[in-house]
């Protein structure tokens, strides 16, 4: 994470309000020219289903749009029902697949969306 944050165009958003005063979630994005990529997003188990990932996506998509990104890409396992639902809910659409991309041999779904649309609450 520290290494990624040192890369130009990479930045993160951290959500407060987790257990014992810790963060409840975080997401990391990279913007290069007019494209952005969501590198990771996670919410601690005790804080899930409270709209935290949704809020992180809105914040980071707005930041990507402000930096000139026209498209925001991500990859997610076909086996990750929660994340697929989150991304579809936020307006991402499937644009491709990578076969047996993950260590468990599941395919990756490549999704993309317009950061301005995604950041619209
Ligand atoms: C995926 C993840 C980030 C979602 O975080 P979250 O804060 O719980 O998500 P939100 O509360 O913002 O959910 C927003 C919407 O996403 C969908 N969603 C989220 N979790 C879901 C679940 N377990 N099952 C079905 N839909 C889900 C719903 O549409 C939800 O809206 P709703 O609660 O009004 O129905 C979280 O489950 C997580 O950290 N998972 C482990 C890490 C991971 O898989 N990261 C993604 C890698 S690609």
């Amino acid at each position: 994470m520290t290494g990624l944050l040192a890369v130009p165009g990479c930045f993160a958003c951290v959500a407060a309000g987790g257990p014992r005063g810790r963060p409840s979630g975080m997401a990391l994005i990279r913007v290069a020219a007019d494209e952005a990529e969501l590198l990771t997003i996670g919410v601690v188990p005790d804080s899930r289903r409270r709209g935290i990932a949704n809020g992180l996506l809105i914040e980071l998509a707005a930041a990507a749009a402000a930096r000139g990104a026209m498209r925001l890409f991500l990859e997610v396992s076909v086996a990750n029902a929660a994340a697929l639902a989150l991304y579809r809910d936020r307006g991402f659409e499937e644009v491709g697949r990578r076969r047996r991309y993950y260590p468990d041999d599941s395919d990756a779904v490549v999704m993309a969306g317009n950061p301005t649309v995604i950041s619209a609450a």
Side-chain angles (χ1 to χ4, degrees):
M1 290 292 170
T2 306
L4 276 173
L5 284 169
V7 174
C10 279
F11 51 96
C13 189
V14 177
R20 297 180 298 284
R22 294 181 159 177
S24 57
M26 64 82 62
L28 186 64
I29 201 170
R30 176 171 51 206
V31 180
D34 62 353
E35 290 188 354
E37 183 182 8
L38 181 71
L39 300 175
T40 190
I41 184 167
V43 173
V44 298
D46 286 351
S47 299
R48 289 180 187 166
R49 296 312 287 268
R50 295 183 196 162
I52 291 168
N54 203 41
L56 289 167
L57 279 178
I58 289 171
E59 286 293 324
L60 283 181
R67 287 165 171 79
M70 308 289 285
R71 297 268 277 168
L72 174 54
F73 291 89
L74 60 84
E75 284 154 0
V76 55
S77 167
V78 289
N80 193 341
L84 281 166
L86 166 73
Y87 300 140
R88 288 187 180 125
D89 207 45
R90 210 49 267 150
F92 285 91
E93 292 180 345
E94 179 172 342
V95 294
R97 294 243 173 174
R98 300 192 205 286
R99 299 288 167 206
R100 304 177 69 179
Y101 184 75
Y102 292 103
D104 67 356
D105 274 354
S106 65
D107 293 350
V109 181
V110 183
M111 304 184 89
N114 180 323
T116 302
V117 174
I118 289 160
S119 65

